[in-house]
PDB file of all heavy atoms in Angstrom:
ATOM      1  N   ALA A 288      -5.977 -12.873  21.848  1.00 95.00           N
ATOM      2  CA  ALA A 288      -7.105 -12.583  22.734  1.00 95.00           C
ATOM      3  C   ALA A 288      -8.037 -11.565  22.087  1.00 95.00           C
ATOM      4  O   ALA A 288      -9.261 -11.655  22.205  1.00 95.00           O
ATOM      5  CB  ALA A 288      -6.593 -12.055  24.063  1.00 95.00           C
ATOM      6  N   LEU A 289      -7.467 -10.612  21.379  1.00 96.00           N
ATOM      7  CA  LEU A 289      -8.286  -9.555  20.776  1.00 96.00           C
ATOM      8  C   LEU A 289      -9.132 -10.087  19.619  1.00 96.00           C
ATOM      9  O   LEU A 289     -10.234  -9.609  19.371  1.00 96.00           O
ATOM     10  CB  LEU A 289      -7.382  -8.427  20.263  1.00 96.00           C
ATOM     11  CG  LEU A 289      -6.699  -7.600  21.354  1.00 96.00           C
ATOM     12  CD1 LEU A 289      -5.571  -6.763  20.759  1.00 96.00           C
ATOM     13  CD2 LEU A 289      -7.718  -6.683  22.043  1.00 96.00           C
ATOM     14  N   ARG A 290      -8.584 -11.078  18.894  1.00 94.00           N
ATOM     15  CA  ARG A 290      -9.288 -11.497  17.687  1.00 94.00           C
ATOM     16  C   ARG A 290     -10.360 -12.546  17.958  1.00 94.00           C
ATOM     17  O   ARG A 290     -11.174 -12.810  17.090  1.00 94.00           O
ATOM     18  CB  ARG A 290      -8.294 -11.996  16.633  1.00 94.00           C
ATOM     19  CG  ARG A 290      -7.670 -13.355  16.856  1.00 94.00           C
ATOM     20  CD  ARG A 290      -6.992 -13.820  15.559  1.00 94.00           C
ATOM     21  NE  ARG A 290      -5.976 -12.865  15.109  1.00 94.00           N
ATOM     22  CZ  ARG A 290      -4.685 -12.930  15.414  1.00 94.00           C
ATOM     23  NH1 ARG A 290      -4.217 -13.922  16.155  1.00 94.00           N
ATOM     24  NH2 ARG A 290      -3.861 -12.036  14.979  1.00 94.00           N
ATOM     25  N   SER A 291     -10.368 -13.125  19.164  1.00 90.00           N
ATOM     26  CA  SER A 291     -11.305 -14.227  19.366  1.00 90.00           C
ATOM     27  C   SER A 291     -12.725 -13.697  19.254  1.00 90.00           C
ATOM     28  O   SER A 291     -13.065 -12.637  19.783  1.00 90.00           O
ATOM     29  CB  SER A 291     -11.035 -14.917  20.704  1.00 90.00           C
ATOM     30  OG  SER A 291     -11.773 -14.292  21.703  1.00 90.00           O
ATOM     31  N   GLY A 292     -13.525 -14.410  18.478  1.00 89.00           N
ATOM     32  CA  GLY A 292     -14.915 -14.003  18.285  1.00 89.00           C
ATOM     33  C   GLY A 292     -15.144 -13.166  17.037  1.00 89.00           C
ATOM     34  O   GLY A 292     -16.290 -12.916  16.671  1.00 89.00           O
ATOM     35  N   LEU A 293     -14.067 -12.714  16.379  1.00 95.00           N
ATOM     36  CA  LEU A 293     -14.275 -11.932  15.151  1.00 95.00           C
ATOM     37  C   LEU A 293     -14.693 -12.851  14.007  1.00 95.00           C
ATOM     38  O   LEU A 293     -14.310 -14.018  13.965  1.00 95.00           O
ATOM     39  CB  LEU A 293     -12.987 -11.197  14.754  1.00 95.00           C
ATOM     40  CG  LEU A 293     -12.478 -10.101  15.682  1.00 95.00           C
ATOM     41  CD1 LEU A 293     -11.323  -9.356  15.015  1.00 95.00           C
ATOM     42  CD2 LEU A 293     -13.595  -9.122  16.033  1.00 95.00           C
ATOM     43  N   ARG A 294     -15.432 -12.268  13.065  1.00 95.00           N
ATOM     44  CA  ARG A 294     -15.830 -13.069  11.903  1.00 95.00           C
ATOM     45  C   ARG A 294     -14.640 -13.303  10.978  1.00 95.00           C
ATOM     46  O   ARG A 294     -14.526 -14.314  10.317  1.00 95.00           O
ATOM     47  CB  ARG A 294     -16.948 -12.347  11.141  1.00 95.00           C
ATOM     48  CG  ARG A 294     -18.312 -12.580  11.800  1.00 95.00           C
ATOM     49  CD  ARG A 294     -19.407 -12.287  10.811  1.00 95.00           C
ATOM     50  NE  ARG A 294     -19.442 -10.841  10.541  1.00 95.00           N
ATOM     51  CZ  ARG A 294     -20.095 -10.300   9.518  1.00 95.00           C
ATOM     52  NH1 ARG A 294     -20.717 -11.067   8.652  1.00 95.00           N
ATOM     53  NH2 ARG A 294     -20.101  -8.999   9.353  1.00 95.00           N
ATOM     54  N   HIS A 295     -13.757 -12.302  10.912  1.00 96.00           N
ATOM     55  CA  HIS A 295     -12.555 -12.430  10.081  1.00 96.00           C
ATOM     56  C   HIS A 295     -11.333 -12.250  10.981  1.00 96.00           C
ATOM     57  O   HIS A 295     -10.677 -11.208  10.928  1.00 96.00           O
ATOM     58  CB  HIS A 295     -12.551 -11.369   8.978  1.00 96.00           C
ATOM     59  CG  HIS A 295     -13.772 -11.406   8.113  1.00 96.00           C
ATOM     60  ND1 HIS A 295     -13.953 -12.344   7.126  1.00 96.00           N
ATOM     61  CD2 HIS A 295     -14.886 -10.634   8.120  1.00 96.00           C
ATOM     62  CE1 HIS A 295     -15.135 -12.146   6.543  1.00 96.00           C
ATOM     63  NE2 HIS A 295     -15.717 -11.112   7.133  1.00 96.00           N
ATOM     64  N   PRO A 296     -11.057 -13.252  11.808  1.00 96.00           N
ATOM     65  CA  PRO A 296     -10.010 -13.059  12.829  1.00 96.00           C
ATOM     66  C   PRO A 296      -8.620 -12.802  12.250  1.00 96.00           C
ATOM     67  O   PRO A 296      -7.823 -12.097  12.863  1.00 96.00           O
ATOM     68  CB  PRO A 296     -10.036 -14.367  13.628  1.00 96.00           C
ATOM     69  CG  PRO A 296     -10.742 -15.365  12.763  1.00 96.00           C
ATOM     70  CD  PRO A 296     -11.670 -14.583  11.882  1.00 96.00           C
ATOM     71  N   GLN A 297      -8.329 -13.341  11.045  1.00 96.00           N
ATOM     72  CA  GLN A 297      -6.958 -13.203  10.518  1.00 96.00           C
ATOM     73  C   GLN A 297      -6.604 -11.777  10.139  1.00 96.00           C
ATOM     74  O   GLN A 297      -5.456 -11.483   9.853  1.00 96.00           O
ATOM     75  CB  GLN A 297      -6.740 -14.084   9.270  1.00 96.00           C
ATOM     76  CG  GLN A 297      -6.501 -15.532   9.589  1.00 96.00           C
ATOM     77  CD  GLN A 297      -7.792 -16.315   9.533  1.00 96.00           C
ATOM     78  OE1 GLN A 297      -8.871 -15.713   9.439  1.00 96.00           O
ATOM     79  NE2 GLN A 297      -7.714 -17.629   9.610  1.00 96.00           N
ATOM     80  N   ARG A 298      -7.606 -10.919  10.096  1.00 97.00           N
ATOM     81  CA  ARG A 298      -7.275  -9.543   9.709  1.00 97.00           C
ATOM     82  C   ARG A 298      -6.859  -8.699  10.908  1.00 97.00           C
ATOM     83  O   ARG A 298      -6.509  -7.539  10.765  1.00 97.00           O
ATOM     84  CB  ARG A 298      -8.465  -8.898   9.024  1.00 97.00           C
ATOM     85  CG  ARG A 298      -9.662  -8.773   9.963  1.00 97.00           C
ATOM     86  CD  ARG A 298     -10.548  -7.655   9.559  1.00 97.00           C
ATOM     87  NE  ARG A 298     -11.810  -8.080   9.018  1.00 97.00           N
ATOM     88  CZ  ARG A 298     -12.653  -7.212   8.478  1.00 97.00           C
ATOM     89  NH1 ARG A 298     -12.345  -5.942   8.396  1.00 97.00           N
ATOM     90  NH2 ARG A 298     -13.803  -7.640   8.019  1.00 97.00           N
ATOM     91  N   LEU A 299      -6.925  -9.270  12.103  1.00 97.00           N
ATOM     92  CA  LEU A 299      -6.581  -8.470  13.264  1.00 97.00           C
ATOM     93  C   LEU A 299      -5.095  -8.575  13.598  1.00 97.00           C
ATOM     94  O   LEU A 299      -4.559  -9.672  13.724  1.00 97.00           O
ATOM     95  CB  LEU A 299      -7.373  -8.876  14.498  1.00 97.00           C
ATOM     96  CG  LEU A 299      -6.977  -7.921  15.637  1.00 97.00           C
ATOM     97  CD1 LEU A 299      -8.174  -7.242  16.223  1.00 97.00           C
ATOM     98  CD2 LEU A 299      -6.119  -8.590  16.676  1.00 97.00           C
ATOM     99  N   VAL A 300      -4.443  -7.424  13.731  1.00 97.00           N
ATOM    100  CA  VAL A 300      -3.045  -7.398  14.163  1.00 97.00           C
ATOM    101  C   VAL A 300      -2.889  -6.310  15.229  1.00 97.00           C
ATOM    102  O   VAL A 300      -3.754  -5.443  15.373  1.00 97.00           O
ATOM    103  CB  VAL A 300      -2.073  -7.075  13.000  1.00 97.00           C
ATOM    104  CG1 VAL A 300      -2.190  -8.107  11.890  1.00 97.00           C
ATOM    105  CG2 VAL A 300      -2.314  -5.681  12.456  1.00 97.00           C
ATOM    106  N   VAL A 301      -1.802  -6.401  15.949  1.00 97.00           N
ATOM    107  CA  VAL A 301      -1.462  -5.318  16.871  1.00 97.00           C
ATOM    108  C   VAL A 301      -0.532  -4.360  16.136  1.00 97.00           C
ATOM    109  O   VAL A 301       0.380  -4.791  15.426  1.00 97.00           O
ATOM    110  CB  VAL A 301      -0.778  -5.880  18.138  1.00 97.00           C
ATOM    111  CG1 VAL A 301      -0.061  -4.776  18.905  1.00 97.00           C
ATOM    112  CG2 VAL A 301      -1.817  -6.551  19.025  1.00 97.00           C
ATOM    113  N   GLY A 302      -0.819  -3.073  16.276  1.00 98.00           N
ATOM    114  CA  GLY A 302       0.080  -2.035  15.754  1.00 98.00           C
ATOM    115  C   GLY A 302       0.285  -1.063  16.907  1.00 98.00           C
ATOM    116  O   GLY A 302      -0.498  -0.143  17.095  1.00 98.00           O
ATOM    117  N   HIS A 303       1.325  -1.326  17.692  1.00 97.00           N
ATOM    118  CA  HIS A 303       1.502  -0.590  18.947  1.00 97.00           C
ATOM    119  C   HIS A 303       2.465   0.578  18.761  1.00 97.00           C
ATOM    120  O   HIS A 303       3.665   0.372  18.562  1.00 97.00           O
ATOM    121  CB  HIS A 303       2.030  -1.575  20.023  1.00 97.00           C
ATOM    122  CG  HIS A 303       2.430  -0.902  21.284  1.00 97.00           C
ATOM    123  ND1 HIS A 303       3.589  -1.209  21.975  1.00 97.00           N
ATOM    124  CD2 HIS A 303       1.826   0.080  21.989  1.00 97.00           C
ATOM    125  CE1 HIS A 303       3.676  -0.436  23.043  1.00 97.00           C
ATOM    126  NE2 HIS A 303       2.625   0.354  23.074  1.00 97.00           N
TER     127      HIS A 303
END
Side-chain angles (χ1 to χ4, degrees):
L289 290 165
R290 74 166 58 93
S291 89
L293 294 189
R294 279 200 291 165
H295 304 283
Q297 281 94 350
R298 63 154 110 187
L299 183 125
V300 300
V301 163
H303 172 224

